[in-house]
Amino acid sequence: ALEKALLGDTDQPQRLVGHLTAGVGAGAVAVEGLNDTDRVTLCDTSGHAHVLKHTDTTCALFTTDLAQGIYIIAVAGKTLKFLVP
């Protein structure tokens, strides 16, 4: 499985699988290229998981709404790790 740790801010999107890319920017995380059937899950290191809703091809999450810690977004069997300082 492709796992990419992103610590801090970066403008470089990461290819997750096939048509999906994800990136971490200032105060937000986005997954692009989603299909209607793609399920995006946000997990924290304590095991809490939440399915993120998306209404089009992009799922955006504002990290300012999250507590400090390490988070993992899972979609299509791939993961993206990021830190909220």
Side-chain angles (χ1 to χ4, degrees):
L2 172 67
E3 293 189 2
K4 180 67 178 179
L6 297 178
L7 303 177
D9 294 335
T10 180
D11 293 327
Q12 299 299 318
Q14 304 295 319
R15 180 148 317 269
L16 292 178
V17 62
H19 60 285
L20 296 173
T21 57
V24 177
V29 176
V31 178
E32 298 179 337
L34 295 166
N35 294 321
D36 291 340
T37 58
D38 288 326
R39 182 178 178 162
V40 182
T41 305
L42 174 70
C43 304
D44 62 22
T45 55
S46 65
H48 295 100
H50 305 280
V51 174
L52 303 177
K53 295 181 181 178
H54 60 91
T55 56
D56 54 16
T57 61
T58 301
C59 179
L61 171 69
F62 293 103
T63 58
T64 54
D65 297 335
L66 300 174
Q68 292 180 335
I70 297 172
Y71 292 86
I72 303 163
I73 289 184
V75 61
K78 304 298 179 186
T79 61
L80 172 82
K81 296 177 186 176
F82 65 96
L83 171 69
V84 175

